[in-house]
Short mmCIF file of all heavy atoms in Angstrom, two decimals:
data_model
loop_
_atom_site.label_atom_id
_atom_site.label_comp_id
_atom_site.label_asym_id
_atom_site.label_seq_id
_atom_site.Cartn_x
_atom_site.Cartn_y
_atom_site.Cartn_z
N PHE K 1 0.82 -1.21 0.02
CA PHE K 1 0.00 0.00 0.01
C PHE K 1 0.87 1.30 0.02
O PHE K 1 0.57 2.22 -0.74
CB PHE K 1 -0.94 -0.02 1.22
CG PHE K 1 -1.34 1.40 1.70
CD1 PHE K 1 -2.21 2.13 0.97
CD2 PHE K 1 -0.78 1.90 2.83
CE1 PHE K 1 -2.60 3.37 1.37
CE2 PHE K 1 -1.13 3.18 3.25
CZ PHE K 1 -2.08 3.91 2.54
N SER K 2 1.92 1.27 0.79
CA SER K 2 2.82 2.39 0.84
C SER K 2 3.45 2.72 -0.48
O SER K 2 3.51 3.91 -0.87
CB SER K 2 3.93 2.14 1.87
OG SER K 2 3.40 1.94 3.18
N ARG K 3 3.89 1.68 -1.19
CA ARG K 3 4.46 1.90 -2.52
C ARG K 3 3.40 2.38 -3.53
O ARG K 3 3.65 3.29 -4.31
CB ARG K 3 5.13 0.61 -3.03
CG ARG K 3 5.63 0.68 -4.45
CD ARG K 3 6.63 1.79 -4.62
NE ARG K 3 7.81 1.60 -3.84
CZ ARG K 3 8.70 2.53 -3.58
NH1 ARG K 3 8.56 3.75 -4.11
NH2 ARG K 3 9.76 2.33 -2.84
N GLN K 4 2.18 1.81 -3.44
CA GLN K 4 1.10 2.22 -4.33
C GLN K 4 0.74 3.74 -4.09
O GLN K 4 0.61 4.53 -5.07
CB GLN K 4 -0.12 1.39 -4.11
CG GLN K 4 0.05 -0.05 -4.63
CD GLN K 4 -1.17 -0.89 -4.25
OE1 GLN K 4 -1.79 -0.76 -3.19
NE2 GLN K 4 -1.57 -1.83 -5.16
N LEU K 5 0.64 4.13 -2.86
CA LEU K 5 0.27 5.47 -2.54
C LEU K 5 1.35 6.45 -2.91
O LEU K 5 1.14 7.51 -3.48
CB LEU K 5 0.03 5.58 -1.00
CG LEU K 5 -0.50 6.93 -0.51
CD1 LEU K 5 -1.85 7.26 -1.18
CD2 LEU K 5 -0.64 6.95 1.03
N ALA K 6 2.68 6.05 -2.68
CA ALA K 6 3.79 6.92 -3.08
C ALA K 6 3.84 7.11 -4.61
O ALA K 6 4.06 8.22 -5.10
CB ALA K 6 5.07 6.26 -2.60
N THR K 7 3.55 6.05 -5.35
CA THR K 7 3.59 6.17 -6.82
C THR K 7 2.47 7.01 -7.31
O THR K 7 2.68 7.88 -8.22
CB THR K 7 3.42 4.71 -7.42
OG1 THR K 7 4.48 3.86 -6.94
CG2 THR K 7 3.50 4.79 -8.97
N MET K 8 1.26 6.89 -6.79
CA MET K 8 0.13 7.72 -7.24
C MET K 8 0.34 9.19 -6.82
O MET K 8 -0.03 10.09 -7.61
CB MET K 8 -1.17 7.15 -6.71
CG MET K 8 -1.64 5.89 -7.42
SD MET K 8 -3.26 5.33 -7.01
CE MET K 8 -2.93 4.56 -5.47
N MET K 9 0.82 9.42 -5.62
CA MET K 9 1.05 10.80 -5.20
C MET K 9 2.12 11.48 -6.09
O MET K 9 1.97 12.63 -6.47
CB MET K 9 1.51 10.82 -3.76
CG MET K 9 0.40 10.45 -2.76
SD MET K 9 -0.83 11.77 -2.57
CE MET K 9 0.21 13.05 -1.77
N SER K 10 3.22 10.74 -6.40
CA SER K 10 4.23 11.32 -7.27
C SER K 10 3.73 11.55 -8.69
O SER K 10 4.32 12.32 -9.42
CB SER K 10 5.47 10.41 -7.28
OG SER K 10 5.13 9.14 -7.78
N SER K 11 2.65 10.83 -9.06
CA SER K 11 2.07 11.01 -10.41
C SER K 11 1.06 12.18 -10.44
O SER K 11 0.46 12.45 -11.51
CB SER K 11 1.39 9.71 -10.86
OG SER K 11 2.33 8.67 -10.88
N GLY K 12 0.84 12.83 -9.31
CA GLY K 12 -0.09 13.95 -9.25
C GLY K 12 -1.51 13.56 -8.94
O GLY K 12 -2.43 14.47 -9.00
N ILE K 13 -1.83 12.37 -8.54
CA ILE K 13 -3.18 11.99 -8.16
C ILE K 13 -3.46 12.51 -6.77
O ILE K 13 -2.69 12.34 -5.85
CB ILE K 13 -3.32 10.46 -8.20
CG1 ILE K 13 -3.10 9.96 -9.62
CG2 ILE K 13 -4.75 10.07 -7.72
CD1 ILE K 13 -3.12 8.44 -9.73
N PRO K 14 -4.57 13.20 -6.56
CA PRO K 14 -4.95 13.71 -5.23
C PRO K 14 -5.01 12.61 -4.20
O PRO K 14 -5.30 11.53 -4.50
CB PRO K 14 -6.33 14.37 -5.48
CG PRO K 14 -6.37 14.67 -6.92
CD PRO K 14 -5.60 13.62 -7.59
N LEU K 15 -4.75 12.98 -2.92
CA LEU K 15 -4.64 12.00 -1.86
C LEU K 15 -5.92 11.17 -1.67
O LEU K 15 -5.88 9.95 -1.62
CB LEU K 15 -4.22 12.70 -0.55
CG LEU K 15 -3.96 11.78 0.63
CD1 LEU K 15 -2.81 10.85 0.37
CD2 LEU K 15 -3.62 12.68 1.88
N VAL K 16 -7.06 11.89 -1.62
CA VAL K 16 -8.30 11.18 -1.38
C VAL K 16 -8.65 10.27 -2.52
O VAL K 16 -9.02 9.08 -2.30
CB VAL K 16 -9.48 12.19 -1.17
CG1 VAL K 16 -10.82 11.46 -1.13
CG2 VAL K 16 -9.24 13.01 0.06
N GLN K 17 -8.39 10.68 -3.76
CA GLN K 17 -8.58 9.84 -4.92
C GLN K 17 -7.68 8.58 -4.90
O GLN K 17 -8.07 7.52 -5.30
CB GLN K 17 -8.45 10.65 -6.20
CG GLN K 17 -8.87 9.86 -7.45
CD GLN K 17 -8.67 10.71 -8.70
OE1 GLN K 17 -8.44 11.89 -8.60
NE2 GLN K 17 -8.72 10.09 -9.84
N ALA K 18 -6.48 8.82 -4.48
CA ALA K 18 -5.49 7.74 -4.35
C ALA K 18 -6.02 6.67 -3.43
O ALA K 18 -5.90 5.46 -3.73
CB ALA K 18 -4.13 8.24 -3.95
N PHE K 19 -6.55 7.05 -2.30
CA PHE K 19 -7.09 6.08 -1.36
C PHE K 19 -8.31 5.37 -1.93
O PHE K 19 -8.54 4.19 -1.72
CB PHE K 19 -7.50 6.77 -0.03
CG PHE K 19 -6.40 6.77 0.99
CD1 PHE K 19 -5.47 7.81 1.00
CD2 PHE K 19 -6.23 5.74 1.88
CE1 PHE K 19 -4.42 7.85 1.91
CE2 PHE K 19 -5.20 5.80 2.83
CZ PHE K 19 -4.31 6.82 2.84
N GLU K 20 -9.11 6.07 -2.73
CA GLU K 20 -10.31 5.49 -3.37
C GLU K 20 -9.87 4.43 -4.33
O GLU K 20 -10.42 3.27 -4.40
CB GLU K 20 -11.07 6.58 -4.07
CG GLU K 20 -12.22 6.04 -4.91
CD GLU K 20 -13.36 5.50 -4.11
OE1 GLU K 20 -13.53 5.97 -2.99
OE2 GLU K 20 -14.06 4.63 -4.61
N ILE K 21 -8.82 4.73 -5.13
CA ILE K 21 -8.34 3.75 -6.14
C ILE K 21 -7.82 2.55 -5.46
O ILE K 21 -8.08 1.37 -5.85
CB ILE K 21 -7.33 4.44 -7.07
CG1 ILE K 21 -8.01 5.53 -7.89
CG2 ILE K 21 -6.68 3.42 -8.00
CD1 ILE K 21 -6.98 6.41 -8.62
N VAL K 22 -6.89 2.75 -4.49
CA VAL K 22 -6.17 1.59 -3.82
C VAL K 22 -7.25 0.79 -3.05
O VAL K 22 -7.24 -0.45 -3.10
CB VAL K 22 -5.09 2.09 -2.92
CG1 VAL K 22 -4.44 0.88 -2.18
CG2 VAL K 22 -4.03 2.82 -3.69
N GLY K 23 -8.12 1.41 -2.34
CA GLY K 23 -9.12 0.73 -1.53
C GLY K 23 -10.11 -0.04 -2.30
O GLY K 23 -10.39 -1.22 -1.98
N SER K 24 -10.62 0.55 -3.36
CA SER K 24 -11.65 -0.14 -4.20
C SER K 24 -11.08 -1.30 -4.94
O SER K 24 -11.86 -2.21 -5.29
CB SER K 24 -12.28 0.86 -5.11
OG SER K 24 -11.37 1.34 -6.04
N GLY K 25 -9.82 -1.34 -5.21
CA GLY K 25 -9.22 -2.41 -6.02
C GLY K 25 -8.59 -3.49 -5.20
O GLY K 25 -7.97 -4.41 -5.74
N HIS K 26 -8.65 -3.36 -3.86
CA HIS K 26 -7.93 -4.35 -3.04
C HIS K 26 -8.72 -5.64 -2.85
O HIS K 26 -9.93 -5.58 -2.58
CB HIS K 26 -7.63 -3.74 -1.67
CG HIS K 26 -6.28 -4.14 -1.08
ND1 HIS K 26 -6.08 -5.45 -0.60
CD2 HIS K 26 -5.11 -3.48 -0.94
CE1 HIS K 26 -4.85 -5.55 -0.14
NE2 HIS K 26 -4.24 -4.39 -0.36
N ASP K 27 -8.04 -6.79 -2.96
CA ASP K 27 -8.69 -8.09 -2.80
C ASP K 27 -9.02 -8.38 -1.32
O ASP K 27 -9.93 -9.07 -1.00
CB ASP K 27 -7.87 -9.20 -3.39
CG ASP K 27 -7.71 -9.05 -4.87
OD1 ASP K 27 -8.67 -8.56 -5.47
OD2 ASP K 27 -6.72 -9.54 -5.46
N ASN K 28 -8.18 -7.89 -0.43
CA ASN K 28 -8.30 -8.14 0.97
C ASN K 28 -9.42 -7.17 1.54
O ASN K 28 -9.22 -5.99 1.59
CB ASN K 28 -7.00 -7.90 1.67
CG ASN K 28 -7.01 -8.33 3.15
OD1 ASN K 28 -8.04 -8.23 3.80
ND2 ASN K 28 -5.83 -8.70 3.68
N GLN K 29 -10.48 -7.77 1.99
CA GLN K 29 -11.59 -6.92 2.46
C GLN K 29 -11.29 -6.17 3.70
O GLN K 29 -11.74 -5.03 3.95
CB GLN K 29 -12.85 -7.82 2.68
CG GLN K 29 -13.41 -8.41 1.42
CD GLN K 29 -14.72 -9.15 1.65
OE1 GLN K 29 -15.24 -9.14 2.79
NE2 GLN K 29 -15.26 -9.84 0.68
N ALA K 30 -10.45 -6.75 4.61
CA ALA K 30 -10.04 -6.03 5.79
C ALA K 30 -9.21 -4.82 5.45
O ALA K 30 -9.38 -3.71 5.98
CB ALA K 30 -9.27 -6.95 6.72
N MET K 31 -8.30 -4.99 4.45
CA MET K 31 -7.49 -3.85 4.00
C MET K 31 -8.41 -2.81 3.33
O MET K 31 -8.13 -1.61 3.46
CB MET K 31 -6.41 -4.36 3.04
CG MET K 31 -5.34 -3.35 2.62
SD MET K 31 -4.31 -2.88 4.07
CE MET K 31 -3.24 -1.65 3.31
N GLN K 32 -9.36 -3.29 2.57
CA GLN K 32 -10.25 -2.41 1.86
C GLN K 32 -11.03 -1.54 2.88
O GLN K 32 -11.14 -0.30 2.72
CB GLN K 32 -11.25 -3.27 1.06
CG GLN K 32 -12.09 -2.48 0.06
CD GLN K 32 -12.95 -3.46 -0.69
OE1 GLN K 32 -14.01 -3.86 -0.28
NE2 GLN K 32 -12.56 -3.77 -1.91
N ARG K 33 -11.57 -2.13 3.96
CA ARG K 33 -12.27 -1.39 4.97
C ARG K 33 -11.35 -0.39 5.65
O ARG K 33 -11.77 0.75 5.96
CB ARG K 33 -12.87 -2.38 6.01
CG ARG K 33 -14.03 -3.17 5.48
CD ARG K 33 -14.77 -3.91 6.60
NE ARG K 33 -13.90 -4.91 7.19
CZ ARG K 33 -13.87 -6.18 6.81
NH1 ARG K 33 -14.62 -6.57 5.79
NH2 ARG K 33 -13.12 -7.04 7.41
#
């Protein structure tokens, strides 16, 4: 998750949207929540 968030932030994706993308696409439901 840390690497995904760092990559998206460095690409200019807003923080809230980055969490939306990572969270909605995660297979682990606990991590998603």
